[in-house]
Amino acid sequence: DLSLMLNNNKIYFDCAFIMIHGNPGENGKIPAYLDMLNIPYTCSNMLTSAITFKKSYCKKLLEDINIKTPKGITIKKHQKYNINDIINIIKFPCIIKPDEGGSSFGTSIANNEQELISSINNGFNYDNHLLIEELIKGRELTNGILKFKSNIIKLPVTEIITKHSFFDSSAKYNFIENNEIITQEITPANIPEDIENKCKDLSEKIYNHLNCNGVCRID
C-alpha cells in the first residue's frame, strides 16, 4: 500500500513524484497502481503514459491531427517479415528502434541490407516489436512543456548537437570521450524566433492532444 512505519505510526504518501525511467515509470504501470490507491502523482495517467511510451501508437495518434512523423513500419519478433519489403518501403538510410523503450538502447542506423538485418537482430534483444523509420537528417530540437494549475508553460527550446551519427545512448550519458566533448545541449537553441514559436506551439498541440500532464518533453 506504499506506506511506511514511523514511530509506530503508519505514514502514507501525500503525492508520488515519479522519477523512474522507462519501465515501470514512464509506461504507465506505476500511475495505474497509484490510481488504485488514490495517491496523486506528478506525471501523465496510465493511458497517456502507455500510449506515448509505445512509439507506433503515438505516431498514429499524431497523424490523426496531421502532425508529420517519419515514414515507418513495425515488425514483430515472432512473425515473419520480408526484408526486401522493408527496404522498398522505407529505403536507406533507416533507423531501427525498439517500439517500447528509451535512452536509444537497441537503436541503430542501417545504410544497407546487411546493417539492417544486424540492427533488427540487435533491436529484438530489447523488445519484441520494432519500429523502422526513414532517417530524417537535420537539426535536432527538443522542447520541455508542463502544466501548472491548469496553465501550459512552454519552456525554452533546446538544440542537441552530437559528434556521433545520432543521439545514441552513449552520446546521451557520456558527454565526454577521450577528453573531447561529444554532445552539447544548447538552451535556448540558436534558432530564428519563428522556428522557436513553431516548436513551442507544436509541443503544446501534441501535449494537449495526447492528454499529457505534469512535465513532458517533445522531440
Side-chain angles (χ1 to χ4, degrees), residues 69-88:
T69 70
K71 182 189 298 181
I73 59 174
T74 56
I75 60 174
K76 299 179 180 179
K77 186 173 186 177
H78 302 297
Q79 290 185 358
K80 289 184 178 181
Y81 57 87
N82 189 309
I83 200 75
N84 290 321
D85 288 343
I86 297 173
I87 294 171
N88 290 332

Side-chain angles (χ1 to χ4, degrees), residues 90-109:
I90 304 300
K91 313 298 184 185
F92 292 116
C94 60
I95 188 162
I96 300 87
K97 313 172 184 177
D99 200 17
E100 293 187 58
S103 298
S104 297
F105 293 127
T107 299
S108 51
I109 291 174

Side-chain angles (χ1 to χ4, degrees), residues 15-77:
C15 180
F17 182 58
I18 299 177
M19 296 186 290
I20 298 177
H21 207 30
N23 181 12
E26 288 180 288
N27 63 356
K29 290 182 180 179
I30 287 182
Y33 189 62
L34 293 170
D35 280 338
M36 291 190 292
L37 297 175
N38 291 316
I39 297 175
Y41 46 86
T42 57
C43 65
S44 300
N45 63 25
M46 178 273 294
L47 182 59
T48 294
S49 297
I51 288 173
T52 55
F53 196 70
K54 192 169 183 66
K55 301 177 182 70
S56 58
Y57 288 2
C58 190
K59 281 168 64 74
K60 290 177 181 178
L61 281 177
L62 296 181
E63 289 167 359
D64 287 343
I65 55 171
N66 299 317
I67 290 178
K68 295 180 180 179
T69 70
K71 182 189 298 181
I73 59 174
T74 56
I75 60 174
K76 299 179 180 179
K77 186 173 186 177

